[in-house]
Amino acid sequence: MKITQIRNATQILEYGPVRFLIDPMMSDKGSFPGFPGTINEDLANPIVGLPLPFEKIVEVDVVILTHLHQDHWDAVAAGALPKSMPILVQDERDAAEIRKAGFVDVLVVTEGMTYKGVTLYRTRAVHGVEAVYEAMPPEFLRVTGFVFGHPSEKTTYLAADTIWFEGVAEAIGRHHPDVIVVNSGNAQAFGLGRLIMNAADVLEVHKAAPAATIVGTHMEAVNHCVLTRSALRTFAEQQGFSGLLKLPSDGETIGL
């Protein structure tokens, strides 16, 4: 398998016979406002450009969406991707939104479904600490992680926009992933706390799966993510798991 880090949570996962495009945010640098009520909201998003040409990024078999927030599925992706592109989503509500955008091949991931030989499972995610859930509508915080399986590949767990909680531990215990992709930018909402994993959360992931390779993404690309790759790398060195942590730069491909 190979993972190409594009930008933010956007990645290309080459897994078995399938090239997945994960959570495409395809807008030009600085083309939409910072997220209101979050740290550094004065910065326009994305704060960095795409590292590869659009045409190269979309040379894939299928798009998989963990949820529909603007930094995971934006208007540029919705408008520019071929309407025949298969799109995999978490539930019928997201499927309906994607169909409204004109896409004709939209599938909801069901438990243990197989897509072109790759088995997919949904996992629970909690998009923020308790204060976030008390302040924001539940509908806004819907998100799902995914586990990928194939006989010739390492079991891979895409945790998505979540903090560490019992659902992540449950997914690790059930699927025993060899590779865990974590959204680890420590996105911060003013007065509420984190929306996704911080360094301590990543450490908990390592403790739960001490032999797994952890791949960090959702970093250094949108206004409210405050944890940098270098800071997370230093933390991992201090905690003794840097050898199992991969933090690919935008445009970089890693083999696993």
Side-chain angles (χ1 to χ4, degrees), residues 19-42:
R19 285 173 59 89
F20 293 91
L21 178 58
I22 300 167
D23 286 355
M25 177 181 68
M26 307 299 287
S27 296
D28 290 337
K29 178 182 177 181
S31 58
F32 60 89
F35 297 116
T38 67
I39 195 167
N40 300 320
E41 64 180 340
D42 58 308

Side-chain angles (χ1 to χ4, degrees), residues 17-200:
V18 183
R19 285 173 59 89
F20 293 91
L21 178 58
I22 300 167
D23 286 355
M25 177 181 68
M26 307 299 287
S27 296
D28 290 337
K29 178 182 177 181
S31 58
F32 60 89
F35 297 116
T38 67
I39 195 167
N40 300 320
E41 64 180 340
D42 58 308
L43 298 178
N45 287 318
I47 61 174
V48 295
L50 287 170
L52 299 171
F54 182 93
E55 296 76 14
K56 186 72 173 177
I57 296 169
V58 300
E59 289 178 354
V60 296
D61 301 305
V62 61
V63 172
I64 188 164
L65 301 175
T66 62
H67 62 312
L68 303 186
H69 286 176
Q70 191 175 12
D71 57 335
H72 295 256
W73 173 251
D74 61 6
V76 174
L81 284 166
K83 299 308 180 186
S84 59
M85 174 70 74
I87 312 284
L88 304 179
V89 297
Q90 63 172 320
D91 58 26
E92 287 293 346
R93 284 175 289 184
D94 283 6
E97 291 299 314
I98 301 303
R99 292 186 185 112
K100 284 180 185 177
F103 292 89
V104 296
D105 188 2
V106 185
L107 296 173
V108 175
V109 175
T110 56
E111 182 69 5
M113 74 175 280
T114 299
Y115 185 84
K116 295 186 177 180
V118 176
T119 303
L120 295 167
Y121 297 89
R122 290 175 51 189
T123 64
R124 292 192 294 146
V126 169
H127 198 343
V129 295
E130 184 176 354
V132 171
Y133 270 75
E134 291 174 350
M136 296 185 182
E139 171 65 18
F140 180 75
L141 297 171
R142 284 187 307 108
V143 59
T144 295
F146 297 100
V147 172
F148 301 77
H150 187 273
S152 68
E153 299 287 14
K154 296 177 179 178
T155 299
T156 298
Y157 170 29
L158 175 67
D161 272 8
T162 187
I163 62 171
W164 169 262
F165 77 114
E166 70 272 10
V168 176
E170 175 186 90
I172 291 171
R174 178 184 177 192
H175 297 284
H176 307 288
D178 305 293
V179 177
I180 304 174
V181 180
V182 293
N183 292 3
S184 51
N186 191 19
Q188 290 284 322
F190 277 133
L192 300 177
R194 70 190 184 282
L195 298 161
I196 60 176
M197 290 192 186
N198 62 12

